[in-house]
Amino acid sequence: MSRPGADVLRDTTTALREILGERLSTCESILSEHGHDESWHRTVPPDIVVFPESTDEIAAIVRACAQRGVPIIPYGAGTSVEGQLQAVEGGVCLDLSGMCEVLRVSVDDMDCTVQPGVHREQLNHYLRHTGLFFPVDPGADASIGGMAATRASGTNALRYGTMRENVLGLQVVLANGEVIRTGGRSRKSAAGYDLTRLLVGSEGTLGVITEVTLRLHGLPESVCSASVRFPEVGDAVRTSIAAVQHCIPLARMELLDGAALRAINAYKKTAFPQVPTLFLEFHGTVSEVGEQARRFGELAEQHHGSDFDWAVEEEERNRLWQARHHAYWAAIAARPGGRGLTTDVCVPVSDLADCIDATIADIDRSFLDAPIVGHIGDGNFHVIFSIDPDDEREVAEARGLNERLIDRALEVGGTCTGEHGIGTGKREFLCREHGASVDVMVAIKRALDPDNLMNPGKVVPDAPG
Amino acid sequence: MSRPGADVLRDTTTALREILGERLSTCESILSEHGHDESWHRTVPPDIVVFPESTDEIAAIVRACAQRGVPIIPYGAGTSVEGQLQAVEGGVCLDLSGMCEVLRVSVDDMDCTVQPGVHREQLNHYLRHTGLFFPVDPGADASIGGMAATRASGTNALRYGTMRENVLGLQVVLANGEVIRTGGRSRKSAAGYDLTRLLVGSEGTLGVITEVTLRLHGLPESVCSASVRFPEVGDAVRTSIAAVQHCIPLARMELLDGAALRAINAYKKTAFPQVPTLFLEFHGTVSEVGEQARRFGELAEQHHGSDFDWAVEEEERNRLWQARHHAYWAAIAARPGGRGLTTDVCVPVSDLADCIDATIADIDRSFLDAPIVGHIGDGNFHVIFSIDPDDEREVAEARGLNERLIDRALEVGGTCTGEHGIGTGKREFLCREHGASVDVMVAIKRALDPDNLMNPGKVVPDAPG
């Protein structure tokens, strides 16, 4: 396929203006803003940006684009990191920031339905008097629609799961403009193919998510955060593996190496000791939290861990977790003008220590410096390279290290991406990881989007012919 | 499509004998045995039953059938209840009982890979010295392949999830005979479309599951079971809703009404008081279990519940849970020659009390008697009718009550089936529940099985033309 020509775009613009009036832009700066994400991947602007405010408008936009063979790229908060927003075939970027209403909350059923442009912090602010919270927390204040589209997770996944487990149902506009609902509000169902799980993680390539029904969780009676320092990264990793294997139901268990804490201290004006550290959080009743902490403390001691540095008050806890959530930007900021290239492998926990050891050895041999942070209890960690995207040597070096790390993960049954998705950046690795089953993904893509207009060039390989 | 003709079947038999030698049968009694499940749905025998012992054999069988346009019906333990095994278009039944090996267990990663014919009790027996267990437990001693295919759950789903949450990856033979692997061994992944979740619950209509990688769970330090009696079903239901809303992390919480316990007492020679009862199980450390029980006890007392009847020793606990697991057969046996027609709705928890109250009123008005049992913490319950399948009045009455119940569930955002699947029995309700999204299921079915040979006539509507 090729980018739509000028005539087609003029005609499309006219059609979209009829639907949206002034909520449409072809201004260079707006186009450029919408053609990139938070990563090193280069800006590839769309031809038109639209700002729909309802599912009906989105359906009308999709129909107008389908009639004219114009691609559609959904845009949430722009916080993805694998090139998901590059308009590689041009087309119309659907900016969903105007669809930011929480549509309903059921405290009794612990669920809610939101529009796709609702941000995760906005949702938790909305829920603040209900006794409930939504746990999935990628580093950025991402949109819920975008998080569903990339199957996001974050620091709470250890206990509360990822978007895979926390999306109960979706409303989606398909490539032909039809609006469907998937899933439902019951906690489980065996009724037909699991379209909800198929669409979660499909990165806009099978349809546009226009509503998300989410599972919520009760705020625990007691929440305590803490950090524990270790002499070596390996000690921290081995402690966390032991905690998983001892089934301590931690809510959060995050690894930060010395380099990560150095970057954070510089960026956030904090004073964390710049040594390998686990950031922890315990949820439960007061006695459960005490028991979890006691059991974890015993394991940490066996692996040369320090005493707990407690963060009990909400403000202290927020400071700790904000530091963790900002690690990506802190690492990038460590180098003026740098852009982030981050790895995202996830491996079986028993292979994690070897995988991280080999990765540290790789980084030590490299001319690039890069901190390591990780959702270590899930076997998922990131090496964050801050590179100059115009420096070929740096790009090649970071990509080479990423590739070695991915091969290492795939060898042990792991994945090339725990939570960032495939986008344009990991399509070759998708094939390496999933082999012949990628043909099945392509067959599904063709069945649901025969003209390849939904975020083309992402996730699955380009269909031949 | 129509059933394969005699010539085609002769040719198919010859081809399959070359692959399988004597592991093939066309004997009437074997065919008949493989043409029905545990329910009232009538026997529709396949033309041939084969007994493969490897994935390669299954791939060769599927290719041989595909070349000749012969349907394939995978058969695990024969314990489904929605007509999933009826050979409505004839064809070859793949009896997977010869593929019953546990292929690997990783204690450190708490996962395992099994062949599809492994039964759930066999797996837990195999795991007995590892400190791990596999929690998903439908009433029957089902096969793991069948449980994955129907997205089964059971009494432990409340805390440990269903097959949706506990299958990490699959090996599958597709309709064209190709063998693919989906998922992997990492706890999470954002790599491409979630084919694992698409295939879990597809009931053999998209491919044959030939290996299953499962998440396992650590045996808790302490396990205590108990039962609590209530004056009315509504009191038990309201107690369980409160327990869910108070986030008490129960492992099991099962409702049995007086009729269910009467049937169980007759069938199992037990002496449970024949009044509405909750069967409970608490998992955790000793102090956690104590705290959960204390909190639950307070809620039960508010709803007129009795004191706990404890079952602490393993043998006592097994007696309790075996009674629960055998409720289906007990209810059927209550009437000589009866066959089971069971409802399976699942609704948001806040709608559960009204839904059950209305259902009890329906049963009270009916000439049929039927016990109620339920995975009440998930909002899922069953009314078990024991009917004479040849008595049109009984069939119509039970089906009518089932339909009213399903409509009631769908009205509140629930599902027609929490765990039994669609099979042939609920295809009309799938459309009622999922509307236009069933077209998407049909598109996927066509893309992966264009000749409609994989368990045809199940789950999705017959493709027109």
Side-chain angles (χ1 to χ4, degrees):
Chain A
M1 95 181 265
S2 55
R3 297 179 69 109
D7 286 1
V8 170
L9 288 173
R10 256 194 308 275
D11 179 44
T12 305
T13 306
T14 308
L16 295 180
R17 277 217 194 280
E18 272 173 35
I19 302 164
L20 297 159
E22 293 308 302
R23 286 181 281 113
L24 176 153
S25 176
T26 54
C27 155
E28 283 297 329
S29 65
I30 301 282
L31 298 179
S32 177
E33 251 174 45
H34 286 79
H36 67 85
D37 58 25
E38 293 277 6
S39 79
W40 73 287
H41 289 287
R42 71 193 172 90
T43 300
V44 186
D47 298 304
I48 304 167
V49 178
V50 293
F51 300 88
E53 292 180 352
S54 71
T55 300
D56 285 347
E57 282 185 358
I58 293 174
I61 294 164
V62 170
R63 280 195 300 271
C65 289
Q67 281 164 14
R68 294 164 178 83
V70 174
I72 298 267
I73 305 118
Y75 184 103
T79 55
S80 50
V81 292
E82 284 300 345
Q84 278 93 344
L85 300 171
Q86 293 178 324
V88 291
E89 306 285 352
V92 173
C93 175
L94 276 182
D95 183 321
L96 299 163
S97 56
M99 292 182 67
C100 54
E101 262 185 73
V102 177
L103 299 174
R104 50 162 287 281
V105 174
S106 165
V107 173
D108 286 347
D109 292 318
M110 297 193 281
D111 69 2
C112 71
T113 302
V114 303
Q115 289 189 312
V118 167
H119 286 225
R120 66 174 183 84
E121 290 181 7
Q122 174 196 350
L123 176 58
N124 278 320
H125 183 73
Y126 189 98
L127 295 171
R128 69 198 180 284
H129 301 306
T130 62
L132 301 173
F133 76 114
F134 179 66
V136 187
D137 65 335
D141 184 20
S143 70
I144 300 292
M147 288 165 62
T150 51
R151 204 181 295 132
S153 58
T155 67
N156 282 304
L158 185 58
R159 174 132 167 193
Y160 299 98
T162 72
M163 290 305 276
R164 184 173 74 193
E165 288 78 26
N166 286 288
V167 175
L168 289 170
L170 296 170
Q171 186 192 61
V172 176
V173 175
L174 299 174
N176 60 5
E178 200 175 357
V179 182
I180 63 163
R181 286 186 181 279
T182 72
R185 288 189 56 229
S186 57
R187 282 302 156 105
K188 63 184 194 185
S189 171
Y193 305 159
D194 191 344
L195 299 183
T196 304
R197 249 52 58 181
L198 178 66
L199 287 156
V200 168
S202 64
E203 303 185 20
T205 63
L206 300 178
V208 182
I209 294 171
T210 50
E211 272 182 30
V212 189
T213 297
L214 295 168
R215 186 170 181 165
L216 302 172
H217 296 265
L219 279 171
E221 180 184 312
S222 174
V223 176
C224 282
S225 302
S227 56
V228 178
R229 283 159 281 117
F230 294 85
E232 301 290 339
V233 169
D235 298 313
V237 174
R238 284 169 187 82
T239 301
S240 57
I241 294 172
V244 171
Q245 292 175 345
H246 283 74
C247 303
I248 304 177
L250 284 133
R252 292 163 148 171
M253 180 163 56
E254 296 286 315
L255 171 72
L256 299 95
D257 73 355
L261 288 160
R262 191 160 58 243
I264 287 169
N265 284 340
Y267 186 73
K268 304 283 296 180
K269 317 287 174 227
T270 46
F272 294 105
Q274 293 169 186
V275 297
T277 302
L278 290 177
F279 283 11
L280 308 167
E281 194 161 273
F282 306 99
H283 290 183
T285 60
V286 172
S287 73
E288 283 165 1
V289 163
E291 185 149 337
Q292 291 170 34
R294 182 189 58 70
R295 293 172 67 203
F296 187 91
E298 287 173 13
L299 297 174
E301 201 184 332
Q302 289 165 25
H303 294 91
H304 322 295
S306 70
D307 287 342
F308 286 107
D309 252 337
W310 286 104
V312 175
E313 296 308 317
E314 191 176 352
E315 205 179 321
E316 287 175 283
R317 285 189 277 117
N318 287 346
R319 203 176 307 129
L320 191 75
W321 294 110
Q322 216 175 63
R324 170 62 192 90
H325 278 135
H326 291 178
Y328 178 73
W329 293 276
I332 294 169
R335 170 196 169 133
R339 298 286 296 170
L341 185 157
T342 173
T343 74
D344 184 32
V345 300
C346 187
V347 297
V349 165
S350 72
D351 294 298
L352 187 60
D354 286 349
C355 187
I356 291 188
D357 287 348
T359 303
I360 291 173
D362 258 8
I363 297 171
D364 285 347
R365 275 193 299 268
S366 166
F367 66 87
L368 289 174
D369 198 20
I372 295 179
V373 296
H375 313 304
I376 198 94
D378 297 316
N380 182 211
F381 67 94
H382 310 300
V383 182
I384 308 170
F385 297 100
S386 182
I387 59 169
D388 172 358
D390 295 323
D391 184 327
E392 282 177 24
R393 185 164 159 263
E394 286 192 11
V395 172
E397 176 77 1
R399 293 184 69 173
L401 289 166
N402 185 30
E403 186 167 354
R404 283 170 60 86
L405 176 47
I406 288 170
D407 282 339
R408 204 174 285 135
L410 297 187
E411 255 168 48
V412 295
T415 179
C416 69
T417 172
E419 56 183 13
H420 295 162
I422 297 295
T424 56
K426 287 201 169 130
R427 292 209 296 170
E428 59 177 299
F429 302 120
L430 181 75
C431 295
R432 218 178 280 187
E433 179 170 335
H434 284 302
S437 80
V438 175
D439 298 342
V440 176
M441 299 184 199
V442 171
I444 291 170
K445 167 73 172 172
R446 277 191 195 153
L448 302 192
D449 180 23
D451 298 323
N452 192 26
L453 296 178
M454 307 308 284
N455 208 4
K458 314 297 159 57
V459 187
V460 290
D462 293 317
Chain B
M1 91 183 266
S2 54
R3 296 179 72 107
D7 286 1
V8 170
L9 288 174
R10 256 194 307 277
D11 179 44
T12 306
T13 306
T14 307
L16 295 180
R17 276 216 195 282
E18 272 173 35
I19 302 164
L20 297 159
E22 293 307 302
R23 287 182 280 112
L24 175 153
S25 177
T26 54
C27 156
E28 284 295 332
S29 65
I30 302 281
L31 297 179
S32 178
E33 251 175 44
H34 286 78
H36 67 84
D37 57 26
E38 293 276 6
S39 79
W40 73 286
H41 288 289
R42 71 192 171 89
T43 301
V44 186
D47 298 303
I48 305 167
V49 178
V50 293
F51 299 88
E53 292 179 351
S54 71
T55 300
D56 285 348
E57 283 185 357
I58 293 173
I61 294 164
V62 171
R63 280 194 301 269
C65 288
Q67 280 164 16
R68 293 164 179 83
V70 174
I72 298 266
I73 305 118
Y75 184 103
T79 55
S80 50
V81 293
E82 284 300 346
Q84 279 93 344
L85 300 171
Q86 293 179 325
V88 291
E89 305 285 353
V92 173
C93 175
L94 277 182
D95 183 320
L96 298 163
S97 56
M99 292 184 66
C100 55
E101 262 184 73
V102 177
L103 299 174
R104 50 163 288 281
V105 173
S106 166
V107 173
D108 286 348
D109 292 320
M110 297 193 281
D111 69 1
C112 71
T113 302
V114 303
Q115 289 188 313
V118 168
H119 286 225
R120 65 173 183 85
E121 290 181 7
Q122 173 197 350
L123 176 58
N124 278 320
H125 184 74
Y126 189 98
L127 295 170
R128 68 196 180 286
H129 301 306
T130 62
L132 301 173
F133 77 113
F134 179 66
V136 187
D137 65 335
D141 184 20
S143 70
I144 300 291
M147 287 165 62
T150 51
R151 204 182 295 131
S153 58
T155 66
N156 283 304
L158 186 59
R159 174 131 166 194
Y160 298 99
T162 71
M163 290 304 275
R164 184 173 75 191
E165 287 79 26
N166 286 288
V167 174
L168 289 170
L170 296 170
Q171 186 192 59
V172 176
V173 175
L174 298 175
N176 60 6
E178 199 175 359
V179 182
I180 62 162
R181 285 185 184 279
T182 72
R185 288 188 55 230
S186 58
R187 282 304 156 104
K188 63 184 194 184
S189 170
Y193 304 159
D194 191 345
L195 299 183
T196 303
R197 248 54 56 182
L198 178 66
L199 287 155
V200 168
S202 65
E203 303 185 21
T205 63
L206 300 178
V208 182
I209 294 172
T210 51
E211 273 182 30
V212 189
T213 297
L214 294 168
R215 185 170 184 166
L216 302 173
H217 296 264
L219 278 171
E221 180 185 312
S222 175
V223 176
C224 282
S225 302
S227 56
V228 178
R229 283 160 281 117
F230 294 86
E232 301 289 340
V233 169
D235 297 314
V237 173
R238 284 169 187 82
T239 301
S240 56
I241 294 171
V244 170
Q245 291 175 346
H246 283 75
C247 303
I248 304 178
L250 284 133
R252 292 164 149 169
M253 181 163 56
E254 296 286 316
L255 170 72
L256 299 95
D257 73 355
L261 288 160
R262 190 159 59 243
I264 287 168
N265 284 340
Y267 186 72
K268 303 284 295 178
K269 317 286 173 226
T270 46
F272 294 104
Q274 295 168 185
V275 298
T277 303
L278 291 177
F279 283 10
L280 309 167
E281 195 162 272
F282 305 99
H283 290 183
T285 60
V286 172
S287 72
E288 283 165 0
V289 163
E291 185 150 335
Q292 290 170 33
R294 182 189 59 71
R295 292 173 67 202
F296 187 90
E298 287 173 12
L299 297 175
E301 202 185 330
Q302 289 166 25
H303 294 90
H304 321 295
S306 69
D307 286 342
F308 287 106
D309 253 336
W310 286 104
V312 176
E313 296 307 318
E314 192 175 352
E315 206 179 322
E316 287 175 282
R317 285 189 277 118
N318 288 346
R319 201 176 308 130
L320 191 74
W321 294 111
Q322 218 174 61
R324 170 62 192 89
H325 279 134
H326 291 179
Y328 179 71
W329 293 277
I332 294 169
R335 170 197 170 133
R339 298 285 296 169
L341 185 157
T342 172
T343 74
D344 184 33
V345 300
C346 187
V347 298
V349 165
S350 72
D351 294 298
L352 187 59
D354 286 348
C355 187
I356 291 188
D357 286 349
T359 303
I360 291 173
D362 259 7
I363 297 171
D364 285 347
R365 274 192 299 269
S366 168
F367 65 88
L368 289 174
D369 199 19
I372 296 178
V373 297
H375 313 305
I376 198 96
D378 297 317
N380 182 211
F381 67 95
H382 310 300
V383 182
I384 309 170
F385 297 99
S386 183
I387 58 168
D388 172 357
D390 295 324
D391 184 327
E392 282 178 24
R393 185 163 160 264
E394 286 191 10
V395 171
E397 176 77 1
R399 293 183 70 173
L401 289 166
N402 185 30
E403 185 167 352
R404 283 170 61 85
L405 177 47
I406 288 170
D407 282 339
R408 204 174 286 136
L410 298 186
E411 254 167 48
V412 296
T415 180
C416 69
T417 172
E419 55 184 14
H420 295 163
I422 297 294
T424 56
K426 287 200 170 132
R427 292 209 296 172
E428 60 177 297
F429 302 120
L430 181 75
C431 295
R432 217 178 282 186
E433 179 170 337
H434 284 303
S437 79
V438 175
D439 297 341
V440 176
M441 299 185 199
V442 170
I444 291 170
K445 167 73 172 172
R446 277 191 194 153
L448 302 192
D449 179 23
D451 298 322
N452 192 26
L453 296 178
M454 308 308 284
N455 208 6
K458 315 296 159 57
V459 186
V460 290
D462 293 316

